[in-house]
Amino acid sequence: MTSTAVDLRKPVPLSPLLQLLILTQLAFNIGFFAVLPFLSEHLGQAVGMAGWLVGFVLGLRTFSQQGLFVVGGALADRYGIRPVVLAGCVLRIAGFGWLGYAERTGAVIGAVLLIGFAAALFSPAVESEVARQAVVHEEAGGQRTRVLALFTVAGQAGAFVGPLLGAVLLSVDFRTVCLAGAGVFVLVLAGHAWMLPQHIPGRQRVRLEGGLGMLVRNRRFLALCCAYGAYLLAYNQLYLALPDEVERATGSQSALAWLFALSSLLVVTAQLPVTRWVGSRLSLRRSMVAGLLLIGAGFAVVAVSRPADWTGTAGLLPSAGFVVLLTFGQMLVAPVARAWVPDLAEEGRLGLYTGALSSVSGLIVLIGSSATGSLLDGGLPAAVPWLVLAVLPVAAIGLLPRR
């Protein structure tokens, strides 16, 4: 199966299943991000954890989620997406409820692991089916990347609305926030129990054995994972390199909230027009090349400006340029990478491959973030870390499959 650019003068309507799955992503993120932004402060102040322990618990959540995506994807291939999604929702409800009442370290860790593993079940199941349905949509005359772009927009909108909901409920207490998050997933569970089909036409169930061996021998797919990991490592600098630069320029990190809001607003408003414009002109590989080049340019903007040592409002301009270029690069790379997976996956193993894309790239980010932190704290000339970070996404272009 080969993807090429198509002309979308008459958009093909989304199937009811695709509409459900895209709304699912919106609901998932509203429920999740209503709780997550406030977890660190709750653990430090209300539970009384030391800073290192808070970081450890947050790291466990990431590992139990991102690191186990490959498990959830494989289970979706074996048993279908309905039971895996429903089981994930049940675990997320239990996890949020448990977290709201957890007052000791052991209970908090148990709740956080349950919350993470829940996402490791339902997210790869939903994402793999969206990717598969995007191919079906393309065969009907639509655009595969438009479907994945809608999925991205829905997730970003949920990530924007969720913290607002959580902030309002936090005026009561953190337990109320957790129970509200659990309530969102109760609604998701009920909706999917009612509307998600028992059997989806064209989806075959396969045995668990043998899939992982084929995956590790699939060099083209692993190359895509590495390139996607380079993008995620670059995107992670919103939380690592950017705060340092903003604090250097302004003396505080208060401007970060505005820069994050700018990124979210750009995705919500511009993702679909960008995808539509690019999809009619570029193949999947060329779209990812353009996105990685934009990301590299974002780091280069800061690197070039650092010797001038601007401060105040002028000092924020390079950071704003970095955020804009990184976000537009994200708009090209993220939907395209997921749209590419069906072309590289073995028959019947799309869940496994979709989960592996997240797990492998997440491991790259985990390792790369440690190296990046050392680079930023290494006492090098101010522009050097940003130049190194600019080179990484550009170098990742050479990893992209050529067919």
Side-chain angles (χ1 to χ4, degrees), residues 24 80 98-99 146 264 275 295 333 370 383 396:
T24 296
W98 189 4
L99 183 62
R146 177 176 177 269
S264 295
T275 301
I295 292 169
V333 172
S370 299

Side-chain angles (χ1 to χ4, degrees), residues 30-39 96 99 115 162 166 174 177-178 180-182:
I30 289 175
F32 179 68
F33 284 100
V35 177
L36 183 66
F38 312 103
L39 178 58
F96 276 158
L99 183 62
I115 289 168
F174 183 74
V177 175
C178 289

Side-chain angles (χ1 to χ4, degrees), residues 139-165:
E139 291 170 348
Q143 186 183 18
R144 188 188 309 190
T145 50
R146 177 176 177 269
V147 173
L148 276 299
L150 280 166
F151 191 73
T152 299
V153 170
Q156 193 68 45
F160 183 77
V161 172
L164 300 178
L165 173 63

